[in-house]
Amino acid sequence: MVGGGQLARMTHEAGIPLGIKFKLLSDTPQDSAAQVVSEVVVGDYRDLDTLRAFARGCDVITFDHEHVPTEHLRALEADGVPVRPGPDALIHAHDKGVMRAKLTEIGAPCPRHRIVADPADVTVFAEEGDGYPVILKTVRGGYDGKGVWFVRSEADAHEPFRAGVPVLAEEKVDFVRELAANIVRSPHGQAVAYPVVESQQVDGVCDTVIAPAPDLSEALSGEAQQLALRIAAELDVVGHLAVELFEVRDADGNPGILVNELAMRPHNSGHWTQDGAITSQFANHVRAVLDLPLGDPRPRAAWTVMCNVLGGDYPDMYKPYLHVMARDPQAKIHMYGKDVRPGRKVGHVNTYGDDLADVLDRARHAAGYLRGTIVE
Amino acid sequence: MVGGGQLARMTHEAGIPLGIKFKLLSDTPQDSAAQVVSEVVVGDYRDLDTLRAFARGCDVITFDHEHVPTEHLRALEADGVPVRPGPDALIHAHDKGVMRAKLTEIGAPCPRHRIVADPADVTVFAEEGDGYPVILKTVRGGYDGKGVWFVRSEADAHEPFRAGVPVLAEEKVDFVRELAANIVRSPHGQAVAYPVVESQQVDGVCDTVIAPAPDLSEALSGEAQQLALRIAAELDVVGHLAVELFEVRDADGNPGILVNELAMRPHNSGHWTQDGAITSQFANHVRAVLDLPLGDPRPRAAWTVMCNVLGGDYPDMYKPYLHVMARDPQAKIHMYGKDVRPGRKVGHVNTYGDDLADVLDRARHAAGYLRGTIVE
């Protein structure tokens, strides 16, 4: 696996019972996954020679992030190394411009969008619709709210162009809430769909995920799952695909969905599956990239809630960690081995049960207490 | 953790979400756990200098097996390294003679037993009770049926004395079935009790575990749990304690229990907890030895069944592995990364659900298919 973050850490964890020998390409020996994996190569994934040396002897290469240059992935494939997901799929997660073009081509519902040339062109784009505000995104390099701007006027629209990367403009969607449809697909086309979840963001960062999404009609849930399965098939995705969605209402109040983002790897909106589903997203990602039969994605509890643990003002979480464990012996805490820095994702908590209000309260309390925003 | 077997492998897996940095002392770099742990020291646990060098910088030392010499554990403690469970507890799992003496002292129900001097003394022991057959055990070094003899006559009784280790004689218990009461205890005395399970052995090796034990009365189940908790407290056990039990009937047909063996580490009879309990034995063992608050031991399903996967005649399990995954997407397969040798434990399968017959059938089919004893 290329990339030593928490997704690689949890993928390794899920691979252990499957008998998988996991090899990691990590930026540093201290990275989250590098702390727990036996075979770690420290190196820069942007360097083709490093990637090639790493790939030698691997049965398959997969990824913790979307940042490996597409031409490097093609070079690995030319060397005969299976790359899953492959570069032709991954380009859609790597480049938001390519993603929007492809989704539009296959008829997937998207916000109004186009590549814009400069601030003046942003105003033209705004006026083609309902005017400002507009969302601007650099087509490459963004995540967790980085590389995304909420722009209220042409004067606001200069910053995104400074990186020298093409800029995508999108209408500001007046959404009801955010959903995610997560599926896993294997090379021979077997696919499983997890229940559609509700994802709540705070300051552009995922805060809470509720599985399944409360009060979501069976029709809309099925539509979202079918859409995710279709995107995976059309783009030939292998492994876990997260389709982040906006739930919207049309002029008549009828519900619908629009695709916000794609991620082709295990995803924060699927962390609940570790404790809430029969087979976790990580285990199924491993099974998919190795072309093993996929595991059952169904939920094990009526409700599962995931809350991210962000770093707070106190670098030492040991005492709150003890408190949270003692207060709720059922809470499932997942720590990433990262140093605490304010706002940094350092772990998450999963809770599950029959009563959503209780499950939500327990997850929020545990995550808030670990961060230091709740002190009782 | 000292010892690189599958118990260490699965303890590391359970420590990853807890944010634990795991260090391993392993006999070889190919051992089950050594394949998946970042920090591995290859060395001999019987060598005190090796143990001391390994222990440097560890917050706590725990064990995958009971074979570390007691005097070495005392030396580590004298060096100031917390050893959990400590040597005064572990001696009871290390030496069956010491274990029987202590259990008798605290009034725990045991089979009739005493240390025997030679084959003639075995006959005296037999005639003190109902005669032959008698069970003979070397007090140290046995596991999985090794170091245990079923002796029908004095002529059979020579072999056990050849190792030069004291030999314990025990009556052959006419048991109804075997049970295990598993608990976890932390240094400050917090303890949790898992549901009592039924354990089925084939040729002296654990084959199937059913959780909870079917048709076990609440009274006997409570008695077994209380007994395990009392043994842990009296022996000052820290971590996971497995109390292997015989379920017996007295002359009037009233049910009772006798202690068969103790294990002070995660145990085969607790593997079902990985998928069947809120907190696994491995996670609670880690929490206990680090003196973290313990997790909820309650079951997540009405029935969970664990079947061991033993090596069969075919060294390559890949095709049966595919078949089993495809046939039952709900089955939870745990492989240990070991080379297949006939009769060797190379993995286990957990299944769970509401219908015991179905759950049992699925686990047995998967394990049998992997071994090669079931081919359809």
Side-chain angles (χ1 to χ4, degrees), chain B residues 287-312:
Chain B
R287 288 164 79 145
V289 301
L290 291 167
D291 208 9
L292 299 169
L294 300 179
D296 195 324
R298 283 178 300 170
R300 289 196 68 174
W303 298 104
T304 304
V305 168
M306 191 269 346
C307 283
N308 277 325
V309 177
L310 302 188

Side-chain angles (χ1 to χ4, degrees), chain A residues 13 19 43 61 76 94 153 165 190 213 275 279 281 355 375:
Chain A
E13 179 194 342
I61 301 282
L76 291 179
H94 185 70
S153 69
V165 173
Q190 188 191 14
D275 302 295
T279 314
Q281 65 165 346
D355 177 352
V375 292

Side-chain angles (χ1 to χ4, degrees), chain A residues 17-18 278 300 321 332 335, chain B residues 17-18 275 278 321 332 335:
Chain A
L18 294 168
I278 294 173
R300 288 196 70 174
Y321 188 57
K332 308 305 285 183
M335 300 303 286
Chain B
L18 295 167
D275 302 296
I278 294 173
Y321 188 56
K332 307 305 285 185
M335 300 304 286

Side-chain angles (χ1 to χ4, degrees), chain B residues 260-304:
Chain B
N260 180 19
E261 303 274 1
L262 302 182
M264 294 179 194
R265 50 170 170 77
H267 188 254
N268 205 161
S269 64
H271 290 358
W272 70 274
T273 60
Q274 292 176 303
D275 302 296
I278 294 173
T279 314
S280 80
Q281 64 165 345
F282 299 102
N284 263 336
H285 184 77
V286 170
R287 288 164 79 145
V289 301
L290 291 167
D291 208 9
L292 299 169
L294 300 179
D296 195 324
R298 283 178 300 170
R300 289 196 68 174
W303 298 104
T304 304

Side-chain angles (χ1 to χ4, degrees), chain A residues 325-364:
Chain A
M325 282 189 172
R327 185 181 191 268
D328 186 356
Q330 294 175 57
K332 308 305 285 183
I333 306 173
H334 298 260
M335 300 303 286
Y336 306 155
K338 289 176 162 184
D339 290 336
V340 173
R341 287 203 294 266
R344 185 188 207 192
K345 285 183 192 170
V346 296
H348 66 272
V349 178
N350 288 334
T351 56
Y352 54 82
D354 292 329
D355 177 352
L356 177 56
D358 173 64
V359 172
L360 201 46
D361 178 68
R362 287 167 44 219
R364 287 195 168 139

Side-chain angles (χ1 to χ4, degrees), chain A residues 9 12 16-18 35-38 275 278 292-293 296 298 300 321-322 329-330 332-335 352, chain B residues 9 12 16-18 35-38 275 278 292-293 296 298 300 321-322 329-330 332-335 352:
Chain A
R9 179 182 176 102
H12 172 54
I16 292 174
L18 294 168
Q35 296 170 24
V36 298
V37 170
S38 167
D275 302 295
I278 294 173
L292 300 169
D296 194 325
R298 282 176 300 168
R300 288 196 70 174
Y321 188 57
L322 293 182
Q330 294 175 57
K332 308 305 285 183
I333 306 173
H334 298 260
M335 300 303 286
Y352 54 82
Chain B
R9 181 183 175 102
H12 171 54
I16 292 174
L18 295 167
Q35 296 170 23
V36 298
V37 169
S38 167
D275 302 296
I278 294 173
L292 299 169
D296 195 324
R298 283 178 300 170
R300 289 196 68 174
Y321 188 56
L322 293 182
Q330 294 175 56
K332 307 305 285 185
I333 306 173
H334 298 259
M335 300 304 286
Y352 54 82

